[in-house]
């Protein structure tokens, strides 16, 4: 309650001296691990809390209390002196009322914990997911997009699906330099995935093209013939679904399923990787039956995208050479090839 990805963005800006926190109470709130410093370790601990990887903060409690009459010697550095958390009463013989405290929610640097502070919901932003009708046992690639996400100050949400009817077999990061495994947590046993992202550092990116591409691709296996819009939903049980497209104004985040193309004829055929294994170059060959946008992502076993190519193709047989040196080193790599509404997964092996 009150600790969101927006707080992480504000703490990041303080660390980089882009927008320093302007009160000693906010500075104390940012020190999530009680180290008397504010570092990226505090951001890591708070993100793990937001994602649900852990439900407590190491070396800290959810709240700390400072006597309201305490005067900070240096408000810009409250860690320079011991900060009391109690009023000491010795043999109180008279009225001891009026001894108040300032309550500080650890991690909440924008004071959003107060439930009495009404928030007028601004325009809703939409997390976009293709509306597929997969066959039972079929594995499909499900890209998750949020328009201009790379130009935002951050976003967070939690997706849910019925356990037994759908499985997430893996994840890919098309924009690994911006969004990667540290920004999400998958919980197969409960059928949820939590997402918390803010840019590092939190500044406008030189190129906004990344924001038009998916921030994550889920490899989804369907165990029932149901539309994805009947299986996937946003959960509000633990995380408030919201994004921050401008100067720290939370916008509600909702799901929007894009046009259903599952009934169209697939356009991707005859996918081959040769030679495989390879020690210098592997050629990906495939047949496009009609004009379509093509995207190719190759990831290592950690999910990091090491090779990508996005282009528009006319109908016909196409070949994409992949050099071993462009992958970085020998190893096993996952291939995700998509054209129109067709998507395939494969594996290539680079050897020394």
């Amino acid at each position: 309650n009150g600790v969101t990805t927006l707080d992480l963005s504000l703490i990041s800006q303080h660390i980089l001296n882009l927008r320093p926190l302007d009160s000693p109470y906010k500075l104390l709130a940012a020190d999530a691990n009680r180290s008397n410093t504010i570092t990226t370790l505090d951001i890591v601990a708070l993100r793990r809390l937001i994602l649900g990887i852990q439900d407590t903060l190491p070396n800290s409690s959810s709240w700390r209390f400072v006597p309201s009459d305490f005067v900070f010697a240096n408000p810009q550095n409250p860690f320079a002196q011991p900060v009391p958390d109690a009023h000491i009463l010795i043999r109180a013989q008279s009225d001891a009322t009026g001894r108040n405290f300032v309550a500080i929610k650890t991690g909440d640097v924008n004071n959003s914990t107060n439930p009495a502070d009404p928030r007028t919901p601004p325009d809703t932003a939409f997390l976009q997911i293709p509306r597929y009708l997969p066959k039972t046992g079929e594995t499909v690639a499900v890209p998750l997009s949020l328009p201009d996400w790379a130009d935002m100050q951050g976003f967070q949400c939690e997706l849910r699906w019925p356990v037994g009817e759908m499985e997430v077999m893996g994840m890919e990061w098309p924009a690994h330099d911006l969004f990667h495994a540290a920004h999400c947590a998958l919980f197969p046993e409960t059928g949820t995935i939590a997402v918390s992202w803010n840019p590092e550092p939190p500044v406008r990116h030189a190129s906004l093209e990344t924001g038009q591409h998916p921030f994550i691709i889920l490899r989804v296996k369907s165990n029932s013939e149901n539309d994805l819009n009947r299986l996937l939903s946003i959960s509000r049980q633990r995380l408030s679904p919201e994004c921050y497209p401008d100067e720290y104004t939370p916008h509600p985040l909702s799901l929007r399923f894009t046009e259903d193309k599952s009934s169209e004829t697939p356009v991707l055929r005859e996918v081959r990787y040769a030679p495989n294994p390879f020690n210098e170059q592997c050629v990906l060959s495939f047949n496009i039956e009609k004009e379509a946008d093509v995207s190719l992502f190759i990831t290592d076993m950690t999910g990091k995208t090491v090779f990508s190519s996005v282009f528009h193709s006319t109908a016909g047989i196409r070949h994409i050479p992949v050099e071993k040196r462009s992958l970085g080193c020998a190893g096993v790599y996952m291939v995700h090839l998509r054209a129109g509404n067709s998507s395939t997964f494969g594996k290539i092996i680079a050897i020394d």
Side-chain angles (χ1 to χ4, degrees):
N1 178 19
V3 182
T4 70
T5 304
L6 178 54
D7 294 300
L8 305 189
S9 183
L10 294 171
I11 295 172
S12 293
Q13 294 215 45
H14 172 83
I15 293 172
L16 295 169
N17 203 31
L18 298 175
R19 187 175 178 174
L21 298 173
D22 57 6
S23 86
Y25 303 112
K26 292 180 181 180
L27 293 169
L28 291 173
D31 182 19
N33 60 5
R34 295 289 184 97
S35 65
N36 290 330
T37 58
I38 301 174
T39 69
T40 53
L41 293 177
D42 298 301
I43 295 176
V44 171
L46 290 170
R47 193 186 304 280
R48 289 175 64 84
L49 186 73
I50 291 171
L51 291 174
I53 297 174
Q54 59 190 38
D55 54 13
T56 59
L57 289 168
N59 307 319
S60 185
S61 57
S62 295
W63 292 87
R64 64 188 303 177
F65 300 90
V66 178
S68 59
D69 58 358
F70 177 73
V71 178
F72 292 93
N74 182 0
Q76 284 75 43
N77 183 16
F79 310 112
Q81 65 186 121
V83 178
D85 58 4
H87 279 295
I88 306 299
L89 301 177
I90 302 176
R91 296 182 180 180
Q93 300 294 327
S94 59
D95 187 1
T97 59
R99 301 195 175 229
N100 299 317
F101 293 87
V102 175
I104 303 170
K105 178 66 178 288
T106 304
D108 179 19
V109 298
N110 65 344
N111 298 321
S112 62
T113 302
N114 183 5
D117 182 16
R119 179 186 296 175
T120 302
D123 292 338
T124 298
F126 290 95
L127 183 65
Q128 299 179 355
I129 300 178
R131 185 185 175 199
Y132 291 124
L133 178 57
K135 298 177 181 178
T136 302
E138 181 182 10
T139 299
V140 297
V142 180
L144 276 61
S145 305
L146 182 63
D148 298 319
W149 66 270
D151 195 32
M152 292 184 176
Q153 298 296 335
F155 60 91
Q156 65 176 35
C157 65
E158 186 175 55
L159 292 177
R160 181 177 297 276
W161 58 89
V163 177
E165 294 189 45
M166 192 188 98
E167 300 175 61
V168 174
M169 309 301 292
M171 298 177 287
E172 299 174 21
W173 329 108
H176 185 270
D177 290 343
L178 296 180
F179 189 102
H180 45 78
H183 297 114
C184 65
L186 175 64
F187 303 96
E189 65 280 1
T190 58
T192 57
I193 180 172
V195 174
S196 167
W197 178 84
N198 64 287
E200 303 165 359
V203 295
R204 300 292 183 185
H205 299 284
S207 172
L208 303 184
E209 294 183 0
T210 303
Q212 310 306 321
H213 297 303
F215 57 87
I216 189 173
I217 297 175
L218 304 179
R219 294 200 297 272
V220 171
K221 179 182 178 182
S222 176
N223 297 324
S224 63
E225 293 194 9
N226 281 320
D227 287 339
L228 280 184
N229 64 315
R230 294 178 179 271
L231 297 174
L232 278 173
S233 62
I234 282 186
S235 171
R236 290 169 173 80
Q237 181 175 347
R238 198 182 57 81
L239 273 184
S240 175
E242 57 189 34
C243 63
Y244 322 108
D246 48 32
E247 279 300 308
Y248 310 111
T249 302
H251 287 224
L253 192 60
S254 186
L255 279 185
R256 172 176 287 168
F257 290 88
T258 57
E259 181 182 358
D260 182 7
K261 297 183 179 182
S262 60
S263 60
E264 296 181 3
T265 302
V267 299
L268 190 59
R269 303 282 189 184
E270 303 170 16
V271 180
R272 297 185 178 89
Y273 315 112
N276 191 23
F278 66 99
N279 57 15
E280 291 185 4
Q281 183 189 82
C282 178
V283 178
L284 280 60
S285 304
F286 49 92
N287 187 6
I288 298 273
E289 294 189 338
K290 61 181 181 181
E291 185 177 0
D293 291 324
V294 177
S295 61
L296 168 65
F297 295 101
I298 300 178
T299 61
D300 62 19
M301 298 308 291
T302 69
K304 178 182 178 180
T305 299
V306 295
F307 181 91
S308 65
S309 179
V310 179
F311 58 94
H312 188 79
S313 175
T314 56
I317 297 176
R318 295 290 176 263
H319 305 282
I320 302 179
V322 178
E323 303 288 340
K324 175 186 170 183
R325 63 175 178 269
S326 66
L327 302 179
C329 62
V332 179
Y333 297 89
M334 302 302 297
V335 180
H336 174 209
L337 182 64
R338 180 175 177 82
N341 66 306
S342 298
S343 183
T344 67
F345 294 98
K347 183 186 299 182
I348 57 175
I349 302 174
I351 59 177
D352 290 325

